[in-house]
Amino acid sequence: MLYRVLLCLVLGCFVSVSIAATKASEDQKKLAQTVFELERSVAILQVSTASLGDYQSLSTKMAHIKSLEYRVNFMGNLTFLLCMALVVFFFKLRSQQKRLLALENREEFKESNKQTKDDEK
């Protein structure tokens, strides 16, 4: 009999602790929801009390930011194209230098052959 009473007490304590934990988590959820709703209400009130001048200044600032964004995009594209043009220019310059060197070597070879032929005569 004593064991049954002890078992009932342990079970009762366990159930009460689990209910209290559930109740605490529900209270926290309710509190978080209430805080969220209050913050949302404050934000709505702030927006509703804004004047027409505030909206117009915000609109002009947004337009200014958009124009800056377009300028930055244009300058970025222009810089990229300039870099690509420089890369192409240097590759062409390198190939021209190779062709010029080959032409000079060929001319030197012809002159040296001409001199050896002249020496043989």
Side-chain angles (χ1 to χ4, degrees):
M1 183 72 167
L2 189 60
Y3 291 117
R4 287 184 185 174
V5 170
L6 188 59
L7 183 64
C8 286
L9 282 175
V10 169
L11 258 168
C13 288
F14 178 73
V15 169
S16 66
V17 168
S18 65
I19 289 174
T22 306
K23 179 86 170 145
S25 65
E26 287 176 4
D27 288 343
Q28 288 177 350
K29 287 179 185 177
K30 285 180 183 178
L31 182 62
Q33 182 66 27
T34 304
V35 168
F36 173 74
E37 288 175 0
L38 285 173
E39 287 175 349
R40 193 179 83 183
S41 298
V42 167
I44 289 171
L45 279 174
Q46 287 175 344
V47 169
S48 66
T49 58
S51 66
L52 182 61
D54 294 338
Y55 287 118
Q56 288 174 343
S57 68
L58 184 61
S59 176
T60 56
K61 286 179 184 177
M62 293 286 287
H64 182 69
I65 288 172
K66 284 284 186 188
S67 67
L68 286 177
E69 180 182 355
Y70 293 138
R71 287 183 201 160
V72 167
N73 286 340
F74 174 74
M75 294 304 286
N77 291 338
L78 190 65
T79 304
F80 173 75
L81 289 175
L82 179 64
C83 289
M84 292 308 295
L86 285 174
V87 167
V88 168
F89 173 75
F90 285 123
F91 274 116
K92 292 285 186 181
L93 183 66
R94 184 173 169 227
S95 66
Q96 287 291 337
Q97 284 178 337
K98 285 182 180 179
R99 289 175 63 190
L100 182 62
L101 185 62
L103 186 61
E104 287 175 352
N105 288 341
R106 193 176 343 155
E107 288 296 322
E108 287 176 7
F109 182 70
K110 283 182 183 179
E111 287 180 10
S112 65
N113 279 345
K114 191 176 185 181
Q115 285 178 357
T116 55
K117 286 183 183 179
D118 288 342
D119 291 339
E120 288 177 1
K121 288 185 184 177

